[in-house]
Amino acid sequence: MNPSLSRLLNKAQSLKSLKFVHARLLVHGSFALSHLVLNKLLRLYARFGSIQYAHKLFDQIPQPNAFLWTALIHGYVENRNYLEALSLFSKMREDSVLPLKFTLASVLKTLARLVRVKDGEAVYGLGLKCGFCFDLIMQNAVIDLFMRCGEVDFATRVFDEMEEKDLVSWNSMISGYGNNGRVNLARKLFDEMLERNVISWTSMIQGYFKAGEKEEAKLLFDRMTTKDLASWNVMVSGYMDVGDVLSAQSVFQAMPVRDAGTWNLMISGFCKAGKMEVAKEFFDKMPSKNFASWTIMIDGYVKAGDVSNGRCLFDQMPEKNLISWSTMIGGYARNAQPCNALELYKQYKNQGIEPDETFVLGIISACSQLGILDAAESIINDFSGPPLFSSLRIVTSLIDMYAKCGNIAKASQVFKMAYHKDLLCCSVMITAFANHGMAQDAISLLEEMQRTNIKPDGVAFLGVLTACNHGGLVIEGRKYFKQMQEEHGIQPSEKHYACMIDLLGRAGCLEEAYNLIRNMPISPSAVVWGALLAACRVHRNVKLAEIAAGELFKIEPDNSGNYILLSNIYADSKRWDGVSRIREIIRKKEVRKNRASSWIELGSVVHEFVTADALHFDSERIYFTLYLISEEMKLLGSVRDLEKEGLIV
């Protein structure tokens, strides 16, 4: 590269200045055929966070060599866009461009972050074929991969067989041992090191904190001859992670220098400990706040259920990035405020910020809660990032969303399109089949999971039991309830018991259901007794209904539904004394009927209603229409029929 060109590029200290230099080079035609200049530009654009711009530049290169491919792949990895990095590597291989050791090291780093050990082994095998088996960079990347994937023994074997080791090798092993709960092995290795740097010490300290041995961490920290800001921050973070807020504050006060990251660690720790007032005090005292400071506070508020304070801070932010938008919108979705999430999304669309996976997941969650398919698909069409189906998390969320929006066919289609299916993805599909009454499909999927060595968990079995319940498959329900415990060692939760009791109750096996409750190893909850009470209503079993209702009155004395249900059971059996007694209890205890709400989507707009609602802008027309329908029903005799059947008390 021309020295003057190199100096010119080195002067670029921001994206704006880089684009200025790039423009000058274009005007003068200085780099038309220079791959060295292109390589430098690609790396700088990636370093300044403009990886999309780097990709556009790359696409204009007629025949990129291995160095240019590596520069772009490395850029995506450094910007944590791992799936796109893997996609690029696949295209590089399709174009028959031999990878460099740096290429494979970047790909291994990507796979380590995605915890894809099998793919990592394949890439390592490719490295061996290319003659990189003894390369230090490759071996260090492999150690990092195996450690992050929990394959500690494989990492140890690679380390032991290395002819040459550097500080990165030793530090990767110490950090890996610590993160995998083998702090004693980490310390043994640490003591064997002839040369240590700050990373060696901080990795060992982190390992002790992860193991809950904060005293050992403190002793090691005190032994450090040279402490940098990172080592002080590790102590603050470590104490916060183990819940020792006072020690974290003590270290914070003793620090000779603090940066925004230090303050953020304190704020984050207080938020995790539920001390939002103290977190806010630290936040207000911060000499200089960054994006992370604001976002940590907002996230703390929404996780504590205080969405209003979170939104207040969000509105005060001087500038918002994707993470802050994602945190607030996702916070609304997590706190069952999907309408607010979608309203905020409308504001976000005007910002021109490209969404990422986390952001899309929050929006999908909001749409799932509301069950509004048109709005959901409109939002999905707005997403122009990497293909949606390249992310299994998004695929799984889409399956859940389509199922909750009533489109089981689309949910099944998305499931079939998923290349890698994991336990969560299969469990969500089983639950979707179950909720749509497709019992045999749910059972078939569970059997297929077991054939393909995907071990089902309690969620998967709950989905199958729900499917059996909806399909009235008592024999199959008993089979899978037994299989779950005996073959897979899964202890049933109250939801499993409630599902089985509901299944047995619907089939009229009330005594079996009652005996199952009596033999539960855990205390039966309201859900369990409620399932039995509902079954007693169907089969008019007053004796067991009184037992179930009696337990429910103790657990949730203010739930009006239980009193009304028992009253209806008495009425079905012409036990008017029982009806009178229940009504007297309701009056004495001043039990109020729970206020329910419902919503409907019209033209991608959600309209929500509660009982006796007069707040809707079109309430007069709505009530008038309901009046007309009611009158027509009376004329048809529908109300009288319902009264005769005992469905109205």
Side-chain angles (χ1 to χ4, degrees):
M1 187 189 299
N2 187 304
S4 61
L5 283 179
S6 180
R7 284 194 298 271
L8 194 61
L9 286 169
N10 288 334
K11 286 181 180 179
Q13 299 298 317
S14 67
L15 181 61
K16 185 177 180 180
S17 61
L18 177 62
K19 286 185 175 180
F20 176 75
V21 173
H22 188 179
R24 283 189 61 185
L25 293 173
L26 284 171
V27 170
H28 294 290
S30 304
F31 74 107
L33 298 174
S34 172
H35 278 188
L36 287 174
V37 175
L38 288 169
N39 189 299
K40 183 79 172 177
L41 281 168
L42 289 172
R43 290 184 178 277
L44 285 172
Y45 275 122
R47 185 187 303 168
F48 293 137
S50 188
I51 189 64
Q52 298 296 335
Y53 203 91
H55 203 147
K56 287 179 181 178
L57 173 61
F58 180 84
D59 288 339
Q60 295 171 13
I61 302 170
Q63 289 183 315
N65 61 19
F67 290 96
L68 295 174
W69 279 101
T70 302
L72 188 60
I73 290 170
H74 179 76
Y76 271 110
V77 174
E78 292 307 301
N79 281 272
R80 300 183 181 182
N81 197 329
Y82 303 125
L83 294 174
E84 187 62 26
L86 292 180
S87 177
L88 271 172
F89 179 65
S90 297
K91 291 175 184 175
M92 179 184 180
R93 299 287 293 145
E94 288 170 8
D95 287 357
S96 301
V97 179
L98 285 175
L100 307 170
K101 61 182 179 182
F102 302 107
T103 321
L104 298 183
S106 291
V107 173
L108 286 168
K109 182 177 180 179
T110 292
L111 295 170
R113 297 323 183 259
L114 295 174
V115 197
R116 286 166 57 168
V117 67
K118 293 296 181 185
D119 293 331
E121 289 172 356
V123 172
Y124 184 44
L126 176 62
L128 297 178
K129 289 180 182 178
C130 295
F132 304 140
C133 52
F134 297 112
D135 183 80
L136 186 59
I137 293 173
M138 274 286 294
Q139 289 174 319
N140 286 342
V142 170
I143 289 173
D144 181 58
L145 167 78
F146 284 138
M147 282 300 193
R148 286 178 182 268
C149 294
E151 301 289 345
V152 180
D153 294 337
F154 285 106
T156 303
R157 187 184 307 166
V158 172
F159 179 79
D160 290 342
E161 292 174 356
M162 289 173 69
E163 294 182 359
E164 179 189 358
K165 302 179 180 74
D166 62 2
L167 268 173
V168 175
S169 317
W170 288 86
N171 290 342
S172 294
M173 289 298 295
I174 290 168
S175 176
Y177 278 138
N179 289 331
N180 283 281
R182 301 193 185 183
V183 69
N184 291 334
L185 288 176
R187 184 55 189 264
K188 182 176 181 294
L189 215 56
F190 178 82
D191 291 338
E192 290 174 5
M193 291 180 72
L194 299 176
E195 180 188 355
R196 305 186 188 103
N197 61 7
V198 175
I199 296 174
S200 315
W201 289 85
T202 53
S203 294
M204 194 63 241
I205 290 168
Q206 282 178 319
Y208 276 128
F209 272 122
K210 195 170 183 68
E213 299 182 27
K214 60 182 182 180
E215 292 81 9
E216 291 293 333
K218 177 67 166 57
L219 287 172
L220 204 59
F221 179 75
D222 290 340
R223 279 180 53 197
M224 287 183 71
T225 54
T226 304
K227 300 179 177 73
D228 63 359
L229 181 60
S231 55
W232 283 96
N233 284 345
V234 164
M235 288 299 293
V236 172
S237 175
Y239 278 127
M240 282 297 191
D241 287 343
V242 297
D244 190 347
V245 176
L246 293 176
S247 293
Q249 283 182 280
S250 177
V251 173
F252 179 83
Q253 295 298 333
M255 290 180 71
V257 181
R258 306 183 191 103
D259 64 356
T262 313
W263 287 87
N264 290 342
L265 285 171
M266 293 298 293
I267 295 169
S268 176
F270 286 123
C271 288
K272 288 176 183 175
K275 299 178 181 293
M276 291 308 302
E277 290 183 4
V278 184
K280 185 64 165 60
E281 287 177 15
F282 269 77
F283 177 78
D284 291 338
K285 290 177 184 176
M286 279 188 75
S288 178
K289 300 177 180 68
N290 56 19
F291 280 122
S293 317
W294 290 88
T295 306
I296 289 167
M297 279 302 301
I298 293 167
D299 186 56
Y301 276 125
V302 298
K303 283 181 177 174
D306 190 354
V307 188
S308 58
N309 264 326
R311 179 59 186 271
C312 184
L313 269 186
F314 177 81
D315 291 337
Q316 292 174 32
M317 284 186 76
E319 190 179 352
K320 302 174 181 68
N321 63 3
L322 175 62
I323 298 173
S324 51
W325 283 98
S326 183
T327 300
M328 195 64 241
I329 290 173
Y332 274 132
R334 283 197 304 272
N335 283 276
Q337 297 185 33
C339 291
N340 289 333
L342 297 186
E343 280 297 318
L344 192 57
Y345 174 73
K346 292 177 184 176
Q347 297 180 32
Y348 159 83
K349 286 180 68 175
N350 300 323
Q351 307 301 311
I353 302 173
E354 190 74 21
D356 65 359
E357 179 181 299
T358 304
F359 183 90
V360 175
L361 288 169
I363 291 296
I364 292 173
S365 174
C367 294
S368 298
Q369 292 176 44
L370 286 171
I372 49 175
L373 191 55
D374 291 345
E377 293 197 318
S378 173
I379 291 167
I380 290 168
N381 291 333
D382 291 340
F383 182 62
S384 58
L388 283 171
F389 299 105
S390 65
S391 165
L392 188 57
R393 289 177 67 201
I394 290 183
V395 167
T396 303
S397 294
L398 285 173
I399 293 167
D400 183 58
M401 182 199 72
Y402 279 120
K404 287 178 178 175
C405 291
N407 195 334
I408 188 64
K410 194 66 180 283
S412 183
Q413 181 185 346
V414 172
F415 178 76
K416 289 175 182 176
M417 291 173 65
Y419 179 64
H420 289 291
K421 299 180 179 73
D422 63 0
L423 172 60
L424 179 60
C425 185
C426 292
S427 297
V428 167
M429 194 67 240
I430 287 174
T431 303
F433 281 138
N435 291 336
H436 283 78
M438 302 169 68
Q440 290 301 333
D441 293 273
I443 291 171
S444 297
L445 182 51
L446 181 76
E447 297 292 345
E448 183 184 339
M449 282 173 63
Q450 297 185 83
R451 283 195 300 272
T452 54
N453 296 321
I454 299 177
K455 187 177 180 180
D457 62 356
V459 177
F461 275 107
L462 180 61
V464 168
L465 292 176
T466 303
C468 294
N469 191 0
H470 290 174
L473 306 176
V474 180
I475 295 173
E476 290 83 350
R478 291 189 185 115
K479 169 189 169 183
Y480 289 112
F481 188 71
K482 182 179 180 182
Q483 183 187 103
M484 175 180 72
Q485 299 172 76
E486 296 182 358
E487 295 182 21
H488 296 276
I490 299 171
Q491 182 63 38
S493 68
E494 64 175 13
K495 290 183 179 179
H496 294 102
Y497 280 109
C499 197
M500 275 303 296
I501 288 154
D502 196 31
L503 170 62
L504 295 169
R506 288 171 186 263
C509 307
L510 296 180
E511 290 296 334
E512 184 181 348
Y514 179 51
N515 287 331
L516 184 60
I517 294 175
R518 292 175 62 190
N519 293 316
M520 283 175 61
I522 55 178
S523 181
S525 66
V527 178
V528 173
W529 287 113
L532 181 61
L533 183 60
C536 291
R537 167 75 194 276
V538 174
H539 297 284
R540 302 188 179 189
N541 189 318
V542 177
K543 181 182 176 182
L544 285 180
E546 288 175 332
I547 294 172
E551 296 296 331
L552 285 167
F553 295 162
K554 296 174 188 174
I555 299 170
E556 41 183 30
D558 297 324
N559 187 342
S560 61
N562 298 325
Y563 297 94
I564 293 169
L565 192 52
L566 182 59
S567 176
N568 288 341
I569 293 171
Y570 280 134
D572 290 342
S573 302
K574 312 299 181 187
R575 290 273 303 274
W576 306 117
D577 58 327
V579 174
S580 300
R581 182 163 50 83
I582 294 299
R583 287 179 176 173
E584 182 63 25
I585 292 172
I586 291 173
R587 278 194 294 272
K588 282 185 177 180
K589 292 189 175 183
E590 297 182 346
V591 178
R592 295 176 180 270
K593 187 177 179 182
N594 299 330
R595 189 172 182 175
S597 66
S598 59
W599 57 72
I600 186 172
E601 178 196 9
L602 295 172
S604 297
V605 177
V606 179
H607 303 265
E608 189 172 5
F609 303 93
V610 295
T611 307
D613 194 350
L615 297 176
H616 193 275
F617 68 89
D618 218 6
S619 59
E620 288 188 12
R621 288 179 60 194
I622 293 169
Y623 279 113
F624 180 67
T625 303
L626 287 172
Y627 169 76
L628 294 177
I629 293 172
S630 178
E631 291 301 309
E632 187 173 350
M633 288 175 67
K634 288 178 182 177
L635 288 172
L636 293 172
S638 298
V639 173
R640 283 196 302 274
D641 291 340
L642 290 172
E643 288 174 344
K644 287 178 181 178
E645 293 173 15
L647 296 176
I648 296 179
V649 179

